[in-house]
């Protein structure tokens, strides 16, 4: 019995929050709406797409996307409209702009700095050592 429940849990996919009354009659438009919904972040939930969220704001965004698509907007026009309205934060994968450049560059910068640090720590005596002068040798030998 336990194995059956575990198997059912593993085979069950993520539950989508799209309500039956939101689904468009046109299958192509509905597919486009679902693809767009997967790329927008729910502004209420933590790192969940609006396609997965049960929040009221997520539902409103799903409906807005479907209205824009029904009105004839392209996917890019819908994305631009939503971003203009809610900001870049609404995108699960932010665009590369001057404002988000630090966001995109930080992981690579940390990796490069980390590699540099470990290489430096591996051989900290890489600075050329000069031999001791006769005075320094005599000082070391004195009791």
């Amino acid at each position: 019995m336990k194995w059956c429940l575990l198997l059912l849990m593993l085979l069950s996919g993520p539950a989508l929050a799209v309500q039956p009354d939101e689904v468009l009659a046109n299958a192509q438009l509905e597919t486009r709406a679902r693809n767009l919904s997967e790329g927008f972040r729910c502004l209420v939930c933590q790192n969940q797409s609006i396609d997965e969220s049960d929040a009221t704001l997520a539902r409103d965004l799903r409906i807005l996307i479907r209205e824009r698509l029904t009105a004839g907007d392209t996917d890019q026009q819908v994305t631009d409209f939503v971003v203009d309205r809610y900001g870049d934060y609404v995108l699960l994968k932010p665009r590369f702009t001057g404002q988000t450049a630090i966001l995109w560059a930080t992981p690579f910068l940390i990796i490069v700095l980390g590699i540099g640090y470990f290489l430096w720590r591996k051989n900290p005596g890489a600075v050329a050592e000069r031999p001791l002068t006769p005075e320094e040798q005599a000082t070391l030998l004195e009791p």
Side-chain angles (χ1 to χ4, degrees), residues 61-77:
L61 279 171
R62 289 191 304 264
I63 292 171
L64 175 70
I65 289 170
R66 284 166 173 77
E67 287 173 355
R68 302 292 296 191
L69 289 175
T70 305
D73 286 1
T74 64
D75 292 357
Q76 188 61 48
Q77 288 172 324

Side-chain angles (χ1 to χ4, degrees), residues 49 70 107 127:
S49 75
T70 305
V127 178

Side-chain angles (χ1 to χ4, degrees), residues 10-134:
L10 291 175
L11 292 177
S12 65
L16 300 178
V18 178
Q19 302 299 315
D21 62 330
E22 296 176 35
V23 178
L24 295 172
N26 184 329
Q28 289 179 329
L29 285 180
E30 181 60 27
T31 302
R32 286 176 55 202
R34 286 289 179 98
N35 290 338
L36 284 169
S37 295
E38 290 172 357
F40 291 117
R41 175 189 325 273
C42 175
L43 299 171
V44 178
C45 309
Q46 281 194 334
N47 220 18
Q48 201 175 30
S49 75
I50 62 171
D51 204 37
E52 301 166 331
S53 175
D54 286 328
T56 306
L57 180 59
R59 176 180 165 79
D60 292 344
L61 279 171
R62 289 191 304 264
I63 292 171
L64 175 70
I65 289 170
R66 284 166 173 77
E67 287 173 355
R68 302 292 296 191
L69 289 175
T70 305
D73 286 1
T74 64
D75 292 357
Q76 188 61 48
Q77 288 172 324
V78 172
T79 301
D80 291 341
F81 179 81
V82 173
V83 169
D84 287 344
R85 196 172 205 185
Y86 295 98
D88 282 328
Y89 182 74
V90 77
L91 296 173
L92 279 173
K93 293 180 182 176
R95 298 174 179 166
F96 186 80
T97 63
Q99 294 175 337
T100 60
I102 191 76
L103 175 71
W104 285 100
T106 300
F108 300 109
L109 183 62
I110 289 173
I111 289 170
V112 168
L113 290 174
I115 290 171
Y117 175 76
F118 284 115
L119 290 175
W120 178 75
R121 291 288 295 163
K122 184 177 179 181
N123 193 7
V127 178
E129 294 181 17
R130 60 176 177 81
L132 295 176
T133 63

